[in-house]
Amino acid sequence: MTHVLNGALRSVLGDGVEQRGSLCNEEKLRFDFSHKKALSNKQLRAVEKLCQKSIADSEPVTAEVMPLDEARKIEGVRAVFGEVYPDPVRVISIGSDISVEFCGGTH
């Protein structure tokens, strides 16, 4: 779900959004991110709708493990700033254009 949320935030707020961390377990989802200002209520509703649409549409999710150098060359790939990723790295793709990200955890 963090990958869907990250894609929705970027769609609504632009490329200035940076994921800073997350926690995903059976009790809750916490998603830490930075942006130049707080979300407005309108933006929050837009993010929620995009996340709900991705789920309702059953967007395909793929996970591929590949060499780190190869993964860095994927157009549009995102990574958490300051995170150290293993080599090889796991790359998660959601839908055809929602999200392509390095993934440091299983959730």
Side-chain angles (χ1 to χ4, degrees), residues 7-8 18 22 26 30 36 39 45 47 74 86 90 97 102:
E18 293 292 336
S22 66
E26 61 279 347
R30 187 196 77 229
K36 58 187 172 188
L39 284 118
R45 283 190 300 277
V47 169
I74 297 172
R90 187 169 170 234
D97 62 351
F102 290 0

Side-chain angles (χ1 to χ4, degrees), residues 1-65:
M1 196 60 215
T2 59
H3 301 285
V4 171
L5 180 54
N6 199 5
L9 284 166
R10 283 194 320 276
S11 179
V12 172
L13 301 175
D15 287 333
V17 172
E18 293 292 336
Q19 181 178 351
R20 298 297 183 187
S22 66
L23 171 67
C24 187
N25 63 31
E26 61 279 347
E27 295 178 17
K28 65 182 174 183
L29 167 67
R30 187 196 77 229
F31 188 85
D32 305 322
F33 68 98
S34 63
H35 184 61
K36 58 187 172 188
K37 60 183 180 178
L39 284 118
S40 69
N41 286 335
K42 182 179 179 181
Q43 290 169 323
L44 180 58
R45 283 190 300 277
V47 169
E48 288 173 342
K49 284 182 181 181
L50 286 171
C51 290
Q52 291 167 349
K53 183 175 180 348
S54 292
I55 294 166
D57 291 349
S58 297
E59 292 287 355
V61 177
T62 59
E64 185 177 350
V65 177

Side-chain angles (χ1 to χ4, degrees), residues 64 66 69-78 91 100 102:
E64 185 177 350
M66 63 179 63
D69 285 341
E70 182 182 332
R72 286 183 176 136
K73 295 175 185 174
I74 297 172
E75 185 176 341
V77 73
R78 303 281 296 197
V91 178
V100 179
F102 290 0

